[in-house]
Amino acid sequence: MTRKILLALGVLTLTASPFAQSNDEAVEKALSAAPRQMKADATVIKWKDDGTYDTLKKGTNKLVCYDRSGDPGAQPFAVQCTSLGNLDRVAQNRKFDKITDKAAKQAAIDAAEKDGTRVKPEFGSVWLTMNGADKEHARIHTTIAVPGATAQSMGLPDKPGNAGVWIMNAGTTTAHLMTPGS
């Protein structure tokens, strides 16, 4: 009986191993969107379904990166880097992302915005999001968080045009600078 159990466990281990991603591979994938000069010292985490995370690699700078592949609506290759100070915002976003009805999700976000429970990102923090069918075909989209900023407060337009930077979601905690070409 013991031999059968050990044999079964051995077979399961060998069968699963080609599909399992090693910690080093997971770290390298998550760091794909990180700027070259920040990559070595960045933190890498893995989100859990309950909104908490495990630290795969402890960094020494403020950049944190994580894999978003498999998240609702994410492309097959999806990673993101931002400031450690934005992790509460990311956790809240992930909670909202579990709401599958688009109107209900937006209503929940709007309610949090209105009642002051919407977590603000760090002003001036960068969000580097890399998405695509695979790593080779993914592109990095860069935004900069400016919660509460408006066209008047920043002196920038709140609509795209003229191939310059503009503020999306102006006046909300979600306000961010859109950078053309990224």
Side-chain angles (χ1 to χ4, degrees):
M1 177 77 162
T2 305
R3 284 184 187 166
K4 287 181 182 179
I5 292 172
L6 289 174
L7 178 62
L9 288 174
V11 169
L12 285 173
T13 302
L14 290 173
T15 304
S17 64
F19 303 105
Q21 188 178 41
S22 76
N23 191 53
D24 289 343
E25 291 170 327
V27 167
E28 189 58 34
K29 180 179 182 181
L31 290 171
S32 297
R36 185 181 67 246
Q37 69 275 19
M38 297 179 77
K39 189 180 265 191
D41 296 325
T43 294
V44 176
I45 62 169
K46 179 179 171 113
W47 286 101
K48 296 191 233 180
D49 287 338
D50 67 359
T52 62
Y53 57 86
D54 290 322
T55 301
L56 303 180
K57 175 186 171 289
K58 178 74 174 131
T60 56
N61 63 25
K62 289 182 62 175
L63 191 69
V64 60
C65 302
Y66 42 90
D67 188 355
R68 297 176 57 236
S69 305
D71 286 359
Q75 292 192 32
F77 185 90
V79 296
Q80 188 169 57
C81 299
T82 190
S83 170
L84 284 166
N86 288 332
L87 287 177
D88 288 342
R89 172 74 173 212
V90 176
Q92 187 181 52
N93 288 345
R94 293 177 66 81
K95 181 180 174 186
F96 289 135
D97 286 343
K98 289 183 180 209
I99 302 171
T100 55
D101 179 80
K102 189 175 181 177
K105 175 183 172 179
Q106 191 58 54
I109 293 169
D110 292 345
E113 189 79 37
K114 185 175 181 178
D115 70 17
T117 59
R118 186 71 167 116
V119 178
K120 289 183 184 179
E122 278 186 353
F123 192 95
S125 60
V126 69
W127 295 76
L128 301 151
T129 306
M130 187 175 184
N131 295 312
D134 53 41
K135 185 177 178 179
E136 292 72 34
H137 295 95
R139 72 178 190 95
I140 296 176
H141 176 65
T142 304
T143 60
I144 300 165
V146 288
T150 63
Q152 296 75 26
S153 69
M154 295 288 290
L156 293 169
D158 57 7
K159 293 178 181 52
N162 299 326
V165 172
W166 60 284
I167 303 172
M168 185 172 191
N169 301 115
T172 70
T173 63
T174 307
H176 57 280
L177 300 180
M178 295 292 289
T179 56
S182 69

